[in-house]
Short mmCIF file of all heavy atoms in Angstrom, two decimals:
data_model
loop_
_atom_site.label_atom_id
_atom_site.label_comp_id
_atom_site.label_asym_id
_atom_site.label_seq_id
_atom_site.Cartn_x
_atom_site.Cartn_y
_atom_site.Cartn_z
N ILE S 44 75.25 74.41 79.71
CA ILE S 44 76.26 73.34 79.91
C ILE S 44 77.66 73.91 79.84
O ILE S 44 78.54 73.59 80.65
CB ILE S 44 76.05 72.20 78.90
CG1 ILE S 44 74.74 71.46 79.20
CG2 ILE S 44 77.25 71.24 78.89
CD1 ILE S 44 74.35 70.44 78.18
N ALA S 58 78.76 75.98 90.60
CA ALA S 58 78.63 74.77 89.79
C ALA S 58 77.86 73.71 90.50
O ALA S 58 77.10 72.93 89.88
CB ALA S 58 80.00 74.25 89.39
N LYS S 88 84.45 95.62 105.88
CA LYS S 88 84.12 95.61 107.30
C LYS S 88 82.63 95.24 107.53
O LYS S 88 81.80 95.52 106.69
CB LYS S 88 84.38 96.99 107.93
CG LYS S 88 85.83 97.41 107.91
CD LYS S 88 86.06 98.81 108.47
CE LYS S 88 87.51 99.20 108.39
NZ LYS S 88 87.73 100.60 108.85
N LYS S 92 78.15 99.44 103.71
CA LYS S 92 77.34 99.63 102.51
C LYS S 92 78.28 99.71 101.32
O LYS S 92 79.19 100.54 101.31
CB LYS S 92 76.50 100.88 102.59
CG LYS S 92 75.56 101.05 101.38
CD LYS S 92 74.58 102.20 101.52
CE LYS S 92 73.64 102.26 100.31
NZ LYS S 92 72.67 103.37 100.45
N CYS S 141 70.15 94.19 93.15
CA CYS S 141 70.54 94.31 91.75
C CYS S 141 69.80 95.43 91.04
O CYS S 141 68.53 95.41 91.05
CB CYS S 141 70.34 92.97 91.01
SG CYS S 141 71.40 91.66 91.67
N ALA S 152 74.46 109.93 92.39
CA ALA S 152 73.16 110.33 92.94
C ALA S 152 73.04 110.10 94.43
O ALA S 152 72.08 110.60 95.03
CB ALA S 152 72.06 109.54 92.18
N GLU S 154 74.00 110.45 98.52
CA GLU S 154 74.41 111.52 99.36
C GLU S 154 75.90 111.39 99.69
O GLU S 154 76.45 110.29 99.74
CB GLU S 154 73.62 111.53 100.70
CG GLU S 154 72.16 111.84 100.54
CD GLU S 154 71.43 111.88 101.85
OE1 GLU S 154 72.10 111.75 102.91
OE2 GLU S 154 70.21 112.01 101.87
N GLU S 178 92.97 105.95 81.86
CA GLU S 178 91.99 106.97 81.48
C GLU S 178 91.21 106.62 80.23
O GLU S 178 90.17 107.25 79.92
CB GLU S 178 92.67 108.33 81.29
CG GLU S 178 93.89 108.32 80.40
CD GLU S 178 95.20 108.09 81.18
OE1 GLU S 178 95.21 107.27 82.12
OE2 GLU S 178 96.18 108.75 80.84
N ILE S 185 89.98 107.62 86.60
CA ILE S 185 90.78 108.79 86.94
C ILE S 185 89.91 110.01 87.05
O ILE S 185 89.99 110.78 88.02
CB ILE S 185 91.86 109.05 85.84
CG1 ILE S 185 92.74 107.79 85.63
CG2 ILE S 185 92.75 110.22 86.24
CD1 ILE S 185 93.48 107.33 86.85
N MET S 190 84.90 112.35 92.70
CA MET S 190 83.50 112.16 93.04
C MET S 190 83.31 110.95 93.94
O MET S 190 82.53 110.98 94.88
CB MET S 190 82.71 112.01 91.74
CG MET S 190 81.18 111.89 91.96
SD MET S 190 80.67 110.14 92.15
CE MET S 190 80.84 109.54 90.49
N PHE S 192 85.31 109.74 96.10
CA PHE S 192 85.76 110.04 97.47
C PHE S 192 84.76 110.93 98.20
O PHE S 192 84.76 110.94 99.44
CB PHE S 192 87.13 110.69 97.47
CG PHE S 192 88.29 109.74 97.14
CD1 PHE S 192 89.27 110.10 96.26
CD2 PHE S 192 88.31 108.50 97.72
CE1 PHE S 192 90.32 109.26 95.97
CE2 PHE S 192 89.37 107.60 97.42
CZ PHE S 192 90.36 107.98 96.55
N VAL S 226 96.88 82.91 90.93
CA VAL S 226 96.28 81.64 91.23
C VAL S 226 97.05 80.60 90.43
O VAL S 226 97.10 80.67 89.21
CB VAL S 226 94.81 81.57 90.88
CG1 VAL S 226 94.21 80.15 91.16
CG2 VAL S 226 94.01 82.62 91.61
N GLU S 232 94.72 89.30 89.01
CA GLU S 232 94.18 90.61 89.30
C GLU S 232 95.18 91.51 90.00
O GLU S 232 96.05 91.05 90.73
CB GLU S 232 92.93 90.52 90.23
CG GLU S 232 91.77 89.82 89.64
CD GLU S 232 90.61 89.72 90.63
OE1 GLU S 232 90.70 90.28 91.75
OE2 GLU S 232 89.62 89.10 90.27
N THR S 279 123.02 75.03 97.31
CA THR S 279 122.32 73.75 97.41
C THR S 279 120.89 73.83 96.84
O THR S 279 120.42 72.87 96.22
CB THR S 279 122.24 73.32 98.88
OG1 THR S 279 123.61 73.34 99.43
CG2 THR S 279 121.74 71.91 99.00
N THR S 289 107.06 88.57 91.10
CA THR S 289 107.73 89.26 90.02
C THR S 289 106.88 90.40 89.46
O THR S 289 107.39 91.48 89.13
CB THR S 289 108.10 88.27 88.87
OG1 THR S 289 106.96 87.57 88.42
CG2 THR S 289 109.15 87.27 89.36
N GLY S 370 109.00 67.56 79.63
CA GLY S 370 108.40 66.65 80.60
C GLY S 370 109.39 66.02 81.54
O GLY S 370 110.59 66.34 81.59
N VAL S 387 123.84 76.58 82.95
CA VAL S 387 122.67 75.73 82.98
C VAL S 387 122.57 75.07 84.39
O VAL S 387 123.57 74.47 84.79
CB VAL S 387 122.68 74.64 81.91
CG1 VAL S 387 121.37 73.87 81.93
CG2 VAL S 387 122.94 75.27 80.52
#
Side-chain angles (χ1 to χ4, degrees):
I44 290 172
K88 295 177 182 177
K92 184 173 182 180
C141 296
E154 293 183 5
E178 50 268 41
I185 305 300
M190 182 271 288
F192 288 136
V226 179
E232 294 178 5
T279 309
T289 54
V387 184

